[in-house]
Amino acid sequence: MAVAVQIREAKEADCGEIMKMIRELAEFEKLSDQVKISEEVLKTDGFGENPFYHCLVAEIPPEHRDPLGSTLAGYGLYYFTYSTWTGRNVYLEDIYVMPKYQGQGIGSKIIKKVAEAALERGCSQLRLAVLDNNRSAIEFYKARGAKDLTVAEGWHFFHFDNEAVREMVRK
Amino acid sequence: MSTFRVRPARAQDCPDILRLIKELAAYGNALDAVKLTIIDLLKDGFGDHPLYYCLIAEVPDEAELTGLGIGPEILRKLSQIAITNGCSCMNFLVVIWNQTSTEYYTRRGALDLSSQEGWHLFWFNKKELLQMANEK
């Protein structure tokens, strides 16, 4: 039975549940040991003077919530980046719907709101990263017209970890 | 011997920044992809809420520009800024068909997460964004 979730902006009080879902998503991606942040960090970075990210959550209406369960079925976390070719862009860092709420169009509702937010701020592009073995995610994005730039143009994600960054300061 | 200085960009640098952006795009055969103008760079970088930050390598004259260590110095300053601002790492995109760029970064300890972990860059253009926003 489809649950009529409401997509709204996250509040500071949501950070505990968002952190739990971040960990679930990382576990699904088999990259759990890469999650270094805590609920506190999420609060400071998202709800301080200078938010580093924006987050939308899918709120479960009270009548459909498990008594000891979650109030949120999913989230979409994004931030603004800058392209020297086209200006302000949106980068969708995470989009996740809890397994028991999947298949009801909640992911579609979340990405629709992200697209609206992007257009509202004059952004011309939405970018994101997908794991090449995540078939359902790849289909989800391709069905909405996304293009795989890694395959099409050879773009790869590169990363200097903390040790490499410190090493470059020392040199 | 030419000396150079790496410093934060100022509003007056915007015409040069756009020139360099276009040179880089042309090097990657993507000159037509650059839609940004000097006004955009001014408005976006030097208004009340900057959307980007930029470091500039300034040279006193048009002397030999390669082999001076300008690239490593830019990376060093970026790394300092990252650490000062409490950032744990640096992420960026490279077209790996360009072997020189790839080696430049891997030599300095960068990891290719696309090759290592399978991450692909996907993107939606304005047309797709409008379609998603207008979906019932």
Side-chain angles (χ1 to χ4, degrees):
Chain A
M1 183 185 71
V3 172
V5 297
Q6 194 220 350
I7 313 296
R8 60 163 176 81
E9 276 178 30
K11 297 191 285 260
E12 197 168 338
D14 294 319
C15 286
E17 281 196 48
I18 297 170
M19 197 62 235
K20 181 168 156 288
M21 288 190 283
I22 288 172
R23 294 201 173 100
E24 284 174 18
L25 176 55
E27 178 154 347
F28 169 74
E29 291 166 341
K30 299 196 177 23
L31 296 167
S32 290
D33 55 344
Q34 287 192 21
V35 180
K36 309 290 185 201
I37 64 164
S38 64
E39 181 184 335
E40 275 318 300
V41 170
L42 212 54
K43 282 184 182 171
T44 311
D45 289 348
F47 298 91
E49 230 181 81
N50 217 8
F52 284 104
Y53 68 85
H54 300 272
C55 191
L56 295 167
V57 293
E59 188 180 298
I60 305 163
E63 62 270 22
H64 285 114
R65 288 178 204 165
D66 293 335
L68 296 167
S70 319
T71 63
L72 305 176
Y75 73 99
L77 193 146
Y78 66 94
Y79 42 84
F80 295 101
T81 60
Y82 198 79
S83 157
T84 49
W85 293 358
T86 57
R88 197 203 271 257
N89 282 344
V90 166
Y91 187 84
L92 180 58
E93 175 72 21
D94 280 357
I95 179 167
Y96 175 73
V97 177
M98 287 168 65
K100 68 194 237 193
Y101 294 107
Q102 286 175 12
Q104 299 176 24
I106 295 175
S108 301
K109 289 197 169 86
I110 296 176
I111 204 172
K112 176 177 146 76
K113 276 260 141 89
V114 176
E116 283 171 13
L119 290 166
E120 228 168 275
R121 301 291 278 270
C123 299
S124 50
Q125 282 177 29
L126 172 63
R127 293 182 180 182
L128 54 115
V130 195
L131 282 172
D132 58 5
N133 62 7
N134 192 345
R135 288 261 67 100
S136 54
I138 292 171
E139 274 163 31
F140 180 82
Y141 298 119
K142 287 212 164 151
R144 285 157 180 78
K147 196 166 140 194
D148 183 337
L149 288 187
T150 298
V151 167
E153 296 178 12
W155 289 100
H156 277 223
F157 287 96
F158 273 54
H159 170 81
F160 284 113
D161 65 17
N162 195 252
E163 186 46 47
V165 172
R166 290 182 183 280
E167 190 57 37
M168 282 192 289
V169 175
R170 281 195 281 266
K171 285 255 156 73
Chain B
M1 185 180 74
S2 267
T3 56
F4 65 91
R5 187 165 72 105
V6 173
R7 60 162 177 80
R10 296 188 281 258
Q12 309 93 291
D13 295 317
C14 286
D16 277 311
I17 297 171
L18 187 61
R19 172 179 62 82
L20 292 164
I21 287 169
K22 286 184 168 165
E23 277 179 35
L24 177 57
Y27 174 69
N29 289 315
L31 186 53
D32 299 337
V34 182
K35 310 294 182 204
L36 231 49
T37 64
I38 295 173
I39 305 287
D40 291 324
L41 282 173
L42 271 168
K43 192 168 42 86
D44 294 342
F46 300 92
D48 285 330
H49 300 286
L51 303 183
Y52 70 85
Y53 301 97
C54 189
L55 294 175
I56 288 284
E58 196 179 56
V59 287
D61 53 45
E62 289 279 350
E64 182 63 54
L65 296 173
T66 58
L68 292 179
I70 292 177
E73 181 57 20
I74 294 177
L75 280 175
R76 199 178 69 83
K77 282 249 150 79
L78 281 175
S79 301
Q80 270 173 340
I81 289 167
I83 291 168
T84 308
N85 283 277
C87 299
S88 52
C89 45
M90 272 170 40
N91 294 320
F92 53 107
L93 293 164
V94 184
V95 176
I96 58 144
W97 300 340
N98 176 350
Q99 224 177 320
T100 324
S101 287
T102 310
E103 277 166 21
Y104 186 85
Y105 296 118
T106 53
R107 237 185 301 132
R108 285 169 173 80
L111 299 171
D112 177 349
L113 293 185
S114 291
S115 294
Q116 260 190 232
E117 294 175 4
W119 292 103
H120 281 226
L121 175 67
F122 275 48
W123 81 326
F124 293 98
N125 236 333
K126 195 154 190 185
K127 185 168 80 112
E128 289 89 44
L129 288 177
L130 283 164
Q131 270 169 7
M132 281 193 283
N134 292 326
E135 229 177 61
K136 286 289 162 246

